[in-house]
Amino acid sequence: MEELQTAWKRVLSQIELQVSKPTFKTWFAGTVLLEKENGLVKVGVPSHFVREWLQNKFNLLLLRIVRELYDDVKSIEYSVLSHDGTSGKKRFLPSSVKLSPQLNIDVFEIDPETNLNPRYRFDNFVVGGNNELAFAASQAVVQKPALKYNPLFLYGGVGLGKTHLLEATGNEVVKQNSRARKVKYITSEKFTNELVNALKNHQVDEFKTRFREVDVFILDDVQFMSGKDKSQEELFHTFNTLYERNKQIIFSSDRPPSLISDIEDRLRSRFEGGVVVDITAPDFETRLAILKLKTQEKGVDINQRILEVVAQKIQKNIRELEGILNQLVLRYTKNKKITLDEVESVLKDYASQLYKSITPKQVLQVVCSFYEIADKDLLGKKRKKELVKPRQIVMYLLRDLAKMSYPSIGEKLGSRDHTTVIYSCEKIEREVKANQTLFKEIEILKERISHS
Ligand code: ADP
Ligand code: MG
């Protein structure tokens, strides 16, 4: 629930950029996200009047922005909230709105058999120095599944195209074999949830066969398996069965197998047993090529100079690159042109928004969960090595992201002296420059915090 509300806050802050202040206050301020299920998003609104307006005037805008966050969403329903903030069941009038065809928002149906989203293809994946090995390995898998790279393990930071490549591989296998080869894609989170349900409902056998009788098994974001013993065990057996039957397995993760903590060694060694390839941040040319491809897909003609400015500014996350482009496209469709000033202002808003609302609590939560320590230990006085480093990293991040002063950081972290804080911040700052692994860890943490 909390996650939905954070997501909704992000949607609203995007909308705020697109509409005037009074419009925002009148129509959007009192809305809440009630539910997201099966491609349907339910939004609670304060009155019937607001419902009519959102539905008739802003549905497309909302849908577009919601889809930046959840690309499986197909429609939005608005329901009037009763005074206690719940949706009043009696007055609830579902009102899914059909997309108007001339606005050409691509709505992709996820294939229920494979779980693949047809939007991810090889031909709309831009290949650059950052991902060419990963791309080549994926293509080799399509040509000769289970022969060369098995398993294929792709890793890289958030929004760098792992899911895209994984799903494109699955889609291509299906296409080239006219469905004769069975493919199954699933995120590790879903795998875990479905296993829990299967255990609860005594349907474990059904669960097992579902994943063991496929030709290509694709598991996204395996770092999620960390600490989930039952899922790891099930995955281990699934892996072995598939591998023995000479079936292809593909994994992705936000970090290399060696850095996934709390994972059984036997599973880690399976991850490492085939080929491990990383995807890094794209260089300028690749970013520009991606922007060009996306503008073509959307059928708009945005000036190259403008795309260059965007490609220069947004360097680390392709999802964010797309987010900015979507905002520009929205402006473009409204006014049929776009100026450099407007681009600058969109970029500025974006930069100030990214870390604007970061709270110390978020930093603490993300770091504790990353290093798998309890926050009371982090705040405590124990000087164990496993605690000292995360503690120093928290101080560094509070300074760097939340712009807190040294004394207030000290206070936040269990009344530590501000000289300790200075020492820690400077130490991490130095080490980040010298130590590539630490640099990567901090990058991952920052990304997580900005999305938490
Ligand atoms: P990850 O799974 O690594 O977090 P995604 O695969 O979800 O990242 O990519 C984020 C967005 O960026 C997606 O919309 C994807 O289509 C797009 N994207 C990433 N890499 C590329 C690329 N090389 N070419 C085109 N689009 C890309
Ligand atoms: Mg992904």
Side-chain angles (χ1 to χ4, degrees):
M1 194 63 198
E2 210 179 315
E3 185 201 286
L4 283 183
Q5 291 326 320
T6 328
W8 192 239
K9 265 194 208 142
R10 279 169 63 194
V11 168
L12 290 180
S13 62
Q14 292 287 323
I15 290 176
E16 233 175 327
L17 297 170
Q18 315 285 344
V19 300
S20 73
K21 236 196 189 106
T23 305
F24 182 80
K25 279 199 172 148
T26 318
W27 306 115
F28 295 96
T31 59
V32 292
L33 187 53
L34 297 173
E35 208 180 299
K36 177 193 163 282
E37 222 178 57
N38 302 328
L40 175 70
V41 157
K42 287 188 183 161
V43 178
V45 300
S47 72
H48 290 276
F49 194 41
V50 171
R51 201 189 64 164
E52 292 297 310
W53 266 85
L54 289 182
Q55 196 173 289
N56 295 330
K57 305 271 182 196
F58 293 108
N59 192 56
L60 278 171
L61 173 70
L62 261 172
L63 196 58
R64 213 183 266 225
I65 290 174
V66 168
R67 284 171 52 85
E68 277 173 40
L69 223 62
Y70 300 115
D71 58 11
D72 58 335
V73 169
K74 296 194 196 75
S75 56
I76 303 181
E77 264 180 13
Y78 303 92
S79 69
V80 180
L81 296 168
S82 57
H83 290 300
D84 62 0
T86 57
S87 70
K89 281 272 180 294
K90 277 201 196 100
R91 289 184 291 167
F92 180 82
L93 290 169
S95 44
S96 331
V97 178
K98 285 257 175 314
L99 297 174
S100 86
Q102 71 274 20
L103 268 141
N104 188 28
I105 297 182
D106 301 321
V107 175
F108 290 105
E109 298 274 351
I110 307 228
D111 185 310
E113 197 55 44
T114 61
N115 286 329
L116 289 166
N117 185 334
R119 108 169 237 252
Y120 298 114
R121 302 184 311 271
F122 280 148
D123 67 21
N124 62 3
F125 186 81
V126 174
V127 183
N130 63 313
N131 59 25
E132 61 187 354
L133 278 179
F135 183 77
S138 304
Q139 289 215 309
V141 161
V142 172
Q143 267 131 36
K144 297 199 164 85
L147 215 64
K148 232 173 153 183
Y149 302 128
N150 204 18
L152 171 61
F153 190 103
L154 299 181
Y155 76 91
V158 180
L160 292 183
K162 300 182 297 294
T163 296
H164 190 134
L165 208 45
L166 252 49
E167 295 214 34
T169 306
N171 280 321
E172 193 60 27
V173 170
V174 171
K175 193 171 134 201
Q176 290 200 4
N177 300 283
S178 2
R179 287 194 173 265
R181 279 213 169 98
K182 270 181 90 174
V183 177
K184 218 166 236 352
Y185 165 90
I186 191 163
T187 63
S188 299
E189 188 173 5
K190 216 157 171 221
F191 184 89
T192 301
N193 290 342
E194 292 190 4
L195 175 64
V196 171
N197 282 336
L199 286 166
K200 212 165 56 194
N201 302 326
H202 311 289
Q203 290 170 336
V204 182
D205 288 341
E206 190 271 331
F207 179 89
K208 285 190 204 287
T209 36
R210 191 142 49 101
F211 296 107
R212 292 182 193 184
E213 289 182 351
V214 298
D215 300 294
V216 180
F217 175 56
I218 308 175
L219 189 63
D220 208 349
D221 288 320
V222 286
Q223 77 278 356
F224 186 83
M225 293 271 174
S226 158
K228 313 246 170 10
D229 299 346
K230 266 264 172 285
S231 301
Q232 288 181 27
E233 192 187 330
E234 184 53 37
L235 176 59
F236 179 74
H237 294 300
T238 306
F239 182 98
N240 289 345
T241 308
L242 289 170
Y243 194 82
E244 275 159 23
R245 292 182 184 163
N246 221 2
K247 305 299 186 190
Q248 177 72 46
I249 304 136
I250 312 177
F251 297 112
S252 89
S253 159
D254 67 354
R255 58 190 94 183
S258 59
L259 285 182
I260 306 179
S261 62
D262 237 333
I263 200 123
E264 288 179 54
D265 283 339
R266 57 178 189 171
L267 199 50
R268 196 194 311 277
S269 75
R270 293 295 183 279
F271 290 160
E272 289 168 335
V275 64
V276 179
V277 190
D278 70 342
I279 299 185
T280 53
D283 61 14
F284 174 76
E285 273 74 27
T286 310
R287 298 197 296 274
L288 188 60
I290 291 172
L291 286 172
K292 279 190 181 156
L293 177 108
K294 306 266 171 193
T295 46
Q296 271 165 19
E297 273 188 342
K298 292 175 202 295
V300 292
D301 180 23
I302 293 180
N303 187 296
Q304 156 117 358
R305 178 78 199 102
I306 285 178
L307 298 183
E308 282 173 7
V309 172
V310 177
Q312 224 133 38
K313 282 275 163 60
I314 311 292
Q315 304 185 340
K316 292 208 185 106
N317 182 327
I318 299 167
R319 195 171 297 135
E320 275 159 17
L321 204 61
E322 281 189 313
I324 298 279
L325 184 69
N326 285 342
Q327 290 184 34
L328 296 179
V329 168
L330 271 181
R331 284 177 192 233
Y332 181 90
T333 12
K334 221 159 60 189
N335 309 329
K336 293 284 163 260
K337 67 171 177 31
I338 191 144
T339 64
L340 265 180
D341 281 349
E342 277 178 292
V343 177
E344 293 290 351
S345 110
V346 167
L347 285 169
K348 222 170 99 203
D349 286 344
Y350 162 79
S352 65
Q353 244 188 354
L354 192 55
Y355 294 117
K356 185 177 68 182
S357 48
I358 287 192
T359 61
K361 198 169 152 214
Q362 274 171 292
V363 176
L364 276 164
Q365 264 170 0
V366 170
V367 174
C368 284
S369 100
F370 188 85
Y371 293 105
E372 281 154 358
I373 50 181
D375 52 353
K376 70 172 195 314
D377 286 334
L378 189 103
L379 299 177
K381 301 281 179 212
K382 274 184 245 160
R383 301 219 26 96
K384 274 201 264 173
K385 202 173 139 226
E386 310 87 82
L387 298 175
V388 172
K389 183 180 147 197
R391 215 175 263 152
Q392 291 176 334
I393 288 178
V394 165
M395 296 187 208
Y396 170 81
L397 290 173
L398 286 175
R399 180 82 187 156
D400 195 44
L401 301 181
K403 310 283 174 230
M404 284 168 70
S405 72
Y406 294 121
S408 48
I409 293 175
E411 209 162 293
K412 242 304 74 67
L413 281 191
S415 317
R416 288 186 157 75
D417 190 72
H418 78 280
T419 51
T420 314
V421 181
I422 296 178
Y423 168 81
S424 302
C425 291
E426 288 179 350
K427 181 161 180 279
I428 298 291
E429 211 173 306
R430 265 195 320 274
E431 280 181 20
V432 165
K433 289 192 189 119
N435 177 339
Q436 190 63 21
T437 316
L438 182 67
F439 174 79
K440 278 216 163 138
E441 277 177 41
I442 300 269
E443 290 287 291
I444 292 172
L445 287 168
K446 282 188 180 175
E447 257 160 17
R448 296 227 174 139
I449 292 165
S450 70
H451 291 102
S452 69

